[in-house]
Amino acid sequence: MGVSDYVMNLAEGRGQVVPMTVFVAVLCLCLVIGHLLQENRWVNESITAIFVGCLAGTIILLISKGKSSHILRFDEELFFIYLLPPIIFNAGFQVKKKQFFHNFFTIMLFGVVGVFISSSIISAGCWWLFPEYGFTGLTTKDYLGLGTIFSSTDTVCTLQVLHQDDTPLLYSLVFGEGVVNDATSVVLFNAIQKLDVEKFHGWQALHIVVDFLYLFSTSTALGVAAGLITAYILKGLYFGRHCTVREIALIGLMAYLSYILAELFELSGILTVFFCGIFMSHYAWHNTTESSKITTRHVFATLSFIAETFIFLYVGMDALDIEKWKVSKLSVWRSLIIYSTVMLLVLVGRAAFVFPLSAFSNYVHRNARNSSTITFKHQVIIWWAGLMRGAVSIALAFKQFTHSGVTWDPVNAAMVGTTLIVVLFSTIVFGFLTKPLVSYLLPPSSNISDINREPSISKDVKLPLLSFEESAATNVSRAKDSLSMLIERPVFTIHHYWRRFDDAYMRPIFGGPRSNESQ
């Protein structure tokens, strides 16, 4: 019996134990190599995981005599239920809330409006160009799905280069847009899946927008409610006086419960768990003991890191899946044309909203004193940061074109292969060039000026509520001042009023220091 036969028989006899053992061992190897390449100018964690995955896939392919390149079968449900929640929750839990909400208007422009613009361009481009190349067989729903699949960004490479303290504005925009973009893509994708394309008309387009707004608002509300309930329980019962483990367990389980409930009610679990993470770090985290505060930060960050590495490692292995490429009957030349077309549409679709929406954001903030403008160099980095595609694109593609990770339809197999190639190409090529590009556009000496402070408000502004202790003239004057400030500086005025409301009502109930003491 040869080595390959022995390994295959052993794997079959031990069920999933051997495959998982090998995969975890490869995952450990990936972490070690990533650590050794930490100071490398070109390579980051994502690229390292992909290369290690390709190497492991090649070895497995040789051992199995060309039968398979991976030892685990990708399941999109596994991704959405187990791998994605810790990634998104940690993003909300670790976010610098002051910067995030300070730039909330711009982040929502990029993350929501930008996805609609990019999806429209990619869908229309694929619908127009694919038949010109002789590639047919996709339905209207497939074309709409492609728009959302390739509009989901992966900003990990860029965030590993940017420093939150040196470039707070840029880091906040890239990070915030990346999370909101993923959530918007998934919500829009789910809305499209419910669409009846046979009766598609103008009202159906409006129905997509209404359905999207409903999913967005209800998912956010569920996440906020879960975060506030957790904070109230921790503050009222003081779990830490007996066992700090219960505090950590409650935060983790409540966050996961919010995600599962959102999926159960067909809402967006990504949005729910993201805003749950934000409100838990804003209130619940302050109600825990000091040891729990340190532990939660590291535990959630570790789980997120492992999940991200796991996904990119699998992508590297799956790129060498021979069966998938055999099912796709596209010629090499036609495949290259399809890949190039999609990549070009991704470039154009992102540029179509980054630069115009940046100009619009600068116009809205033109009267805000001490506020950093999104310069052209910043816009180029924001555009570049969103060119890389990652785990969400892979998961949506598998959900659209496969059943439990398997497809025997040549057209669907071609689309899965296209997604894999775009993810690999964008992550490796654009990821390699991210550090040199950021270093060239933003040398260390120029980062000093990138400060995004909240404008000082000279007036003693109170909440825009009527006071029975003051005269009607005073109330009218205060209302005029508040309205004038809202028109001149809407974003900062809303943020200012929220902080006052938070200090006066929310923190006394749900916990946490005053705004001038928190981040």
Side-chain angles (χ1 to χ4, degrees):
M1 179 184 295
V3 176
S4 61
D5 296 329
Y6 175 79
V7 173
M8 296 304 294
N9 291 338
L10 182 63
E12 292 175 0
R14 298 291 181 85
Q16 291 294 319
V17 177
V18 173
M20 280 302 299
T21 302
V22 176
F23 201 94
V24 171
V26 176
L27 189 61
C28 294
L29 176 63
C30 181
L31 298 181
V32 173
I33 296 176
H35 170 73
L36 296 176
L37 297 176
Q38 182 69 35
E39 301 300 327
N40 190 281
R41 188 183 179 204
W42 304 89
V43 180
N44 53 59
E45 297 288 351
S46 303
I47 298 175
T48 302
I50 288 178
F51 276 135
V52 173
C54 290
L55 178 61
T58 303
I59 296 174
I60 296 171
L61 196 63
L62 294 174
I63 294 176
S64 64
K65 296 180 180 179
K67 294 180 180 180
S68 177
S69 64
H70 45 68
I71 51 181
L72 296 175
R73 177 65 63 183
F74 185 88
D75 187 350
E76 64 276 7
E77 294 300 325
L78 172 70
F79 170 80
F80 281 107
I81 297 299
Y82 299 109
L83 295 179
L84 190 59
I87 297 175
I88 303 301
F89 175 75
N90 181 67
F93 196 78
Q94 305 285 357
V95 68
K96 294 289 186 180
K97 296 174 291 298
K98 183 175 182 179
Q99 287 293 335
F100 180 83
F101 287 103
H102 198 61
N103 302 298
F104 188 75
F105 175 76
T106 307
I107 289 172
M108 297 304 290
L109 274 181
F110 289 153
V112 178
V113 179
V115 168
F116 275 89
I117 296 174
S118 178
S119 297
S120 301
I121 292 175
I122 294 173
S123 296
C126 292
W127 176 78
W128 175 47
L129 294 173
F130 280 5
E132 297 291 326
Y133 305 144
F135 182 70
T136 57
L138 293 174
T139 64
T140 303
K141 187 176 290 188
D142 289 335
Y143 283 119
L144 293 175
L146 284 176
T148 58
I149 289 170
F150 292 114
S151 292
S152 176
T153 65
D154 184 79
T155 58
V156 174
C157 291
T158 308
L159 291 176
Q160 289 174 352
V161 178
L162 296 176
H163 298 285
Q164 197 162 209
D165 296 330
D166 296 335
T167 56
L169 171 65
L170 190 57
Y171 187 96
S172 175
L173 293 178
V174 172
F175 173 83
E177 190 231 339
V179 178
V180 176
N181 173 285
D182 285 345
T184 304
S185 298
V186 175
V187 172
L188 185 58
F189 180 86
N190 292 334
I192 290 174
Q193 298 307 303
K194 302 177 183 177
L195 185 66
D196 186 2
V197 294
E198 301 297 331
K199 302 177 181 179
F200 188 79
H201 48 76
W203 288 109
Q204 285 279 40
L206 179 62
H207 185 268
I208 292 179
V209 177
V210 173
D211 193 24
F212 171 81
L213 293 176
Y214 166 76
L215 289 174
F216 202 95
S217 57
T218 52
S219 301
T220 302
L222 179 59
V224 171
L228 293 179
I229 291 173
T230 305
Y232 188 78
I233 293 174
L234 288 175
K235 187 174 188 295
L237 300 181
Y238 187 47
F239 277 39
R241 64 186 171 186
H242 296 303
C243 181
T244 58
V245 174
R246 291 194 181 96
E247 293 180 322
I248 303 170
L250 181 66
I251 293 176
L253 290 176
M254 284 294 291
Y256 192 68
L257 177 63
S258 70
Y259 183 88
I260 297 299
L261 286 176
E263 295 297 318
L264 180 65
F265 293 114
E266 298 184 344
L267 303 177
S268 171
I270 292 182
L271 268 178
T272 297
V273 78
F274 175 67
F275 279 97
C276 179
I278 290 179
F279 275 77
M280 279 189 178
S281 66
H282 192 62
Y283 298 111
W285 184 76
H286 296 285
N287 298 330
T288 61
T289 60
E290 290 301 321
S291 59
S292 294
K293 290 178 181 178
I294 298 173
T295 304
T296 51
R297 293 285 187 186
H298 291 292
V299 166
F300 297 140
T302 301
L303 293 175
S304 174
F305 177 77
I306 293 175
E308 288 182 358
T309 308
F310 186 100
I311 294 167
F312 280 106
L313 192 60
Y314 185 90
V315 169
M317 290 184 177
D318 202 52
L320 300 175
D321 188 1
I322 301 299
E323 291 298 326
K324 186 187 289 85
W325 303 114
K326 286 181 179 179
V327 173
S328 176
K329 297 180 179 179
L330 289 178
S331 63
V332 176
W333 175 247
R334 186 169 293 175
S335 298
L336 290 176
I337 293 177
I338 296 297
Y339 305 154
S340 302
T341 299
V342 173
M343 201 67 247
L344 179 62
L345 290 173
V346 169
L347 292 168
V348 174
R350 183 149 184 88
F353 75 83
V354 168
F355 297 102
L357 293 183
S358 296
F360 178 69
S361 176
N362 289 336
Y363 176 78
V364 171
H365 293 88
R366 66 192 185 281
N367 293 324
R369 294 173 297 184
N370 297 328
S371 177
S372 299
T373 301
I374 307 176
T375 65
F376 181 74
K377 291 183 178 180
H378 287 167
Q379 295 174 30
V380 171
I381 294 177
I382 293 171
W383 170 74
W384 185 272
L387 293 178
M388 285 158 275
R389 298 296 175 260
V392 175
S393 295
I394 294 290
L396 293 181
F398 272 80
K399 192 173 185 179
Q400 177 75 17
F401 298 110
T402 71
H403 178 69
S404 297
V406 179
T407 179
W408 297 108
D409 182 81
V411 175
N412 290 342
M415 287 296 93
V416 174
T418 300
T419 307
L420 286 172
I421 293 299
V422 169
V423 170
L424 287 171
F425 179 86
S426 61
T427 303
I428 294 174
V429 176
F430 296 147
F432 264 130
L433 299 175
T434 296
K435 285 186 179 181
L437 178 68
V438 173
S439 299
Y440 174 75
L441 293 177
L442 293 177
S445 59
S446 67
N447 293 337
I448 300 176
S449 61
D450 185 19
I451 301 175
N452 190 20
R453 299 189 183 94
E454 181 178 359
S456 58
I457 301 178
S458 58
K459 300 177 182 180
D460 183 18
V461 183
K462 299 181 180 180
L463 289 173
L465 302 175
L466 294 177
S467 173
F468 295 103
E469 298 177 357
E470 299 176 350
S471 64
T474 303
N475 283 320
V476 171
S477 176
R478 183 193 305 153
K480 288 181 178 179
D481 291 340
S482 300
L483 181 61
S484 175
M485 191 171 66
L486 179 64
I487 294 174
E488 292 179 1
R489 292 171 288 175
V491 177
F492 299 111
T493 305
I494 294 174
H495 185 233
H496 172 76
Y497 284 141
W498 160 251
R499 287 196 310 161
R500 295 180 65 89
F501 177 80
D502 189 32
D503 288 341
Y505 302 102
M506 299 295 288
R507 290 192 182 275
I509 298 175
F510 299 104
R514 294 299 181 96
S515 57
N516 58 351
E517 303 173 9
S518 61
Q519 55 185 358

